Amino acid sequence: MTDRPKVLATRLMPEAVETRFHSEFAAISNPDDRPLDSDAVVAGATGCRGIICSPTEKMDADTIARLPESVEILATFSVGCDHIDLNAAKARGLIVTNTPDVLTDATADTTILCLLGAARMAQDSERILRQGKWGRWAPRDMLGVHMSGKRLGIVGMGRIGQAVARRAQGFGMTVLYHNRRPLNAPDDQGATFYADAADMLPHCDFLALTCPLTPETHHWLNAERIALLPDGAVVANTARGPVLVDDALIDALKSGKVFAAGLDVFTGEPKLDPRYLDLPNVFLLPHIGSATVETRNDMGFRCLDNLAAHFSGRPLPSRVV
Ligand code: DGY
């Protein structure tokens, strides 16, 4: 018997995090990292006071309603909360925490990687090399477009958007942003605010989607908005797949309206629209925005810090509801 609070972790976390998890809590982990559906989460949480979940578990209203009464807190191993029905959590009095800040740099780095990888046709060039098809250096081969000095529009100027803006300035880019509200200096990073995205899009040689997925941002980048971009724009999505409309982006990639796209997230992932795989002008990553050793450790520790604070009655480092 232990008086340590019983907590279920739905996914196998980094080793250092699991070690601390087991030392501070009556920990139930998922050593084989097998996928847990809603029934398995509900059953696994029997007698638990807390759950560490991740974006791979849909914590919808039904699942939340079926959780054992004993569950007081849901700590998600992510900054994004679109997999959790926050209203249902609030109504049930379930505390939800996430992992902001610690993944800002890694995700901003990945956004720059997507922009640059797409602009410079990095994946297709690497494919040519790996397939032994690189015949010789040639003035006209494997031409991308310049990123330095261009104009970048950022959709969603939260922590990650701001970190992307800082990096983009290192490339001499002019930064514009669209957000629910304008930011004060220095958070605005000196970028120009557009209340109406339709006014910003015609000035975006590059466009980075870094907003949370909400009903307002669902399918935000659609055919109508793509049409407003300059011809040959470059688009990156490190937010969530459903922030853009795949049909519209694929049409634009095929026609050349969009020169290239860098995508780290997909609707229905880990599946993705197979048409992307056949396009030479997309730079594809499997949702690795926060995937560095340092960041994943910090995300796990943040989950544990939130749980520990809750169980000892201290203020929670990152409470969502
Ligand atoms: C998040 O934290 O929301 C990411 O998408 C996973 O790193």
Side-chain angles (χ1 to χ4, degrees):
M1 277 300 277
T2 168
D3 51 10
R4 289 177 294 172
K6 190 169 164 187
V7 176
L8 166 73
T10 59
R11 303 298 307 272
L12 183 63
M13 298 182 287
E15 200 176 330
V17 180
E18 287 281 339
T19 303
R20 188 180 141 197
F21 181 41
H22 283 264
S23 75
E24 290 182 19
F25 302 91
I28 309 174
S29 44
N30 183 353
D32 305 321
D33 205 21
R34 68 195 156 84
L36 298 189
D37 63 13
S38 180
D39 290 345
V41 173
V42 170
T46 304
C48 286
R49 292 180 63 191
I51 299 176
I52 301 175
C53 70
S54 83
T56 55
E57 291 79 49
K58 206 167 166 42
M59 303 301 292
D60 55 15
D62 173 63
T63 307
I64 288 174
R66 292 190 297 125
L67 287 176
E69 281 287 311
S70 57
V71 178
E72 300 155 28
I73 176 167
L74 187 59
T76 183
F77 192 107
S78 63
V79 70
C81 291
D82 47 287
H83 54 297
I84 303 172
D85 188 324
L86 295 176
N87 289 328
K90 207 171 181 175
R92 183 198 180 278
L94 181 67
I95 292 168
V96 177
T97 66
N98 67 345
T99 63
D101 305 312
V102 294
L103 47 61
T104 299
D105 284 335
T107 310
D109 289 351
T110 304
T111 308
I112 295 294
L113 177 65
C114 284
L115 290 168
L116 197 52
R120 299 301 298 271
M121 305 286 288
Q123 226 157 44
D124 201 48
S125 304
E126 199 210 16
R127 180 189 58 75
I128 289 167
L129 185 72
R130 283 186 190 268
Q131 292 181 349
K133 292 183 177 160
W134 185 31
R136 60 189 175 139
W137 183 90
R140 289 187 176 199
D141 281 359
M142 297 180 249
L143 298 187
V145 291
H146 218 64
M147 181 159 119
S148 296
K150 297 275 178 75
R151 299 165 299 178
L152 169 67
I154 297 178
V155 179
M157 195 69 156
R159 297 175 186 82
I160 295 169
Q162 291 171 39
V164 171
R166 286 193 291 279
R167 284 157 175 74
Q169 283 154 359
F171 284 85
M173 301 183 93
T174 301
V175 184
L176 324 171
Y177 73 102
H178 171 66
N179 201 41
R180 269 174 306 187
R181 57 183 177 84
L183 302 181
N184 294 323
D187 290 348
D188 67 355
Q189 312 299 324
T192 306
F193 172 68
Y194 285 82
D196 187 347
D199 294 333
M200 177 181 85
L201 290 170
H203 306 291
C204 299
D205 308 309
F206 285 68
L207 185 73
L209 304 173
T210 55
C211 52
L213 174 63
T214 64
E216 292 74 40
T217 62
H218 185 263
H219 283 178
W220 187 89
L221 189 63
N222 54 19
E224 205 183 1
R225 290 200 170 105
I226 289 175
L228 295 175
L229 289 167
D231 290 345
V234 173
V235 171
N237 186 11
T238 52
R240 285 291 184 263
V243 169
L244 60 79
V245 179
D246 288 324
D247 280 342
L249 181 61
I250 289 168
D251 285 350
L253 285 162
K254 283 184 176 163
S255 72
K257 171 70 190 174
V258 168
F259 175 77
L263 307 175
D264 182 49
V265 288
F266 303 91
T267 295
E269 61 183 53
K271 293 204 172 75
L272 67 158
D273 191 313
R275 292 173 294 173
Y276 285 124
L277 300 171
D278 295 329
L279 288 171
N281 51 346
V282 280
F283 179 82
L284 301 169
L285 295 173
H287 201 153
I288 60 159
S290 64
T292 68
V293 173
E294 296 89 338
T295 300
R296 289 286 164 84
N297 278 340
D298 287 346
M299 290 168 73
F301 292 139
R302 177 62 69 86
C303 292
L304 301 185
D305 290 346
N306 277 309
L307 291 166
H310 169 69
F311 293 126
S312 59
R314 285 179 281 117
L316 307 189
S318 40
R319 181 173 180 162
V320 181
V321 295

